[in-house]
Amino acid sequence: MDFRGPEMKKVIFATAVALFAGPSLAQEPLSPNIPFDEQRHERAKVSGGLVVGAMFTADDVPRASPLLTATLPAGDDAVDTVCVRVTSRDGTYESVNTYSIGDAARRETLTFDYPTRYPDVLGSAPTVARMNLGGCDREGPVIPVVWSDAGQPGQPGLVIYVNTAGADTIVAYDTADGEVVARCAQVEETGGIKYSAACPVDPAGLPREQPVTIHLDVTRNRVVETYEVEVVLAGD
């Protein structure tokens, strides 16, 4: 069954492994914008883009401390900056920060300084993160992340968290063994909610270092809206 509809938006993704890290683990030549931009809200802020997070783990995995590492995808173009967005499931926490990256950091596993003022949120509340290449003032290729601490390694699969206001959502993508179609799981939260669906993607069947199109089909009032996400898995 073809779930794709006529309407289309494109968000470009480039994937790699990521974890949140404290200041003591920060590496040069990385530097966050100053002051560090994060906010707490009394009520959820639910507006925003379709894709809120892209991670290799669940949003509610226990975290002893916020850690963020990332391996930037290989390529001929130099990477100057990355933008890191972090959002709590209930929509009351969000941060948007730009990190400068020197040439020596390309193709290296990087540990990012994340000087949060709210370790209670990032340590326990269900939270997703998304990292994109380029500044925060524009859309760029996105590097999905991993929430973890040193005692919890592992990557069960890629999950794309989307803000569809509870609409039924399907994820579809091509692999060497054929097309994979899966229904996104609904995300529930008492009070407000920032993202409403978790869409599973099996990275094992996807090639590395080349674009792979992933379709997100959202059904609203019996009309299917199709969004395309290009994913590039870094590494071998």
Side-chain angles (χ1 to χ4, degrees):
M1 181 176 182
D2 188 1
F3 293 92
R4 298 168 179 73
E7 299 186 25
M8 182 177 299
K9 296 180 181 178
K10 180 170 289 186
V11 182
I12 301 177
F13 279 76
T15 70
V17 180
L19 315 175
F20 267 99
S24 63
L25 297 178
Q27 296 178 359
E28 295 294 341
L30 298 175
S31 57
N33 60 284
I34 302 299
F36 195 73
D37 183 8
E38 60 179 350
Q39 301 179 39
R40 290 288 299 273
H41 311 287
E42 292 185 5
R43 297 182 180 179
K45 294 183 65 177
V46 297
S47 61
L50 176 75
V51 176
V52 180
M55 306 191 299
F56 284 107
T57 189
D59 63 339
D60 58 355
V61 61
R63 301 182 295 275
S65 62
L67 285 176
L68 169 64
T69 68
T71 303
L72 300 182
D76 295 332
D77 297 330
V79 176
D80 297 322
T81 60
V82 295
C83 178
V84 178
R85 302 174 186 271
V86 178
T87 308
S88 63
R89 182 192 294 176
D90 64 8
T92 61
Y93 173 90
E94 60 181 355
S95 67
V96 181
N97 291 279
T98 300
Y99 291 76
S100 299
I101 300 178
D103 291 341
R106 297 181 65 203
R107 297 183 178 87
E108 299 292 334
T109 298
L110 305 175
T111 302
F112 286 72
D113 180 6
Y114 198 81
T116 179
R117 301 190 307 275
Y118 306 104
D120 57 324
V121 174
L122 296 178
S124 60
T127 308
V128 297
R130 127 179 199 181
M131 178 187 297
N132 67 274
L133 300 177
C136 294
D137 59 344
R138 61 185 177 87
E139 294 289 344
V142 175
I143 307 170
V145 302
V146 177
W147 280 116
S148 181
D149 59 31
Q152 295 177 327
Q155 300 164 19
L158 173 60
V159 182
I160 299 175
Y161 292 88
V162 296
N163 179 14
T164 59
D168 187 58
T169 306
I170 297 292
V171 61
Y173 53 95
D174 292 324
T175 70
D177 297 325
E179 186 182 39
V180 175
V181 178
R183 190 171 300 278
C184 302
Q186 292 296 312
V187 176
E188 297 182 358
E189 175 71 25
T190 58
I193 188 167
K194 183 65 176 184
Y195 48 92
S196 61
C199 302
V201 175
D202 183 3
L206 302 179
R208 268 48 175 179
E209 301 293 350
Q210 59 181 285
V212 177
T213 300
I214 295 179
H215 303 271
L216 295 170
D217 300 318
V218 182
T219 302
R220 308 179 198 268
N221 299 320
R222 299 183 181 180
V223 176
V224 178
E225 304 171 5
T226 297
Y227 302 84
E228 288 187 356
V229 179
E230 283 192 351
V231 176
V232 180
L233 292 171
D236 297 327

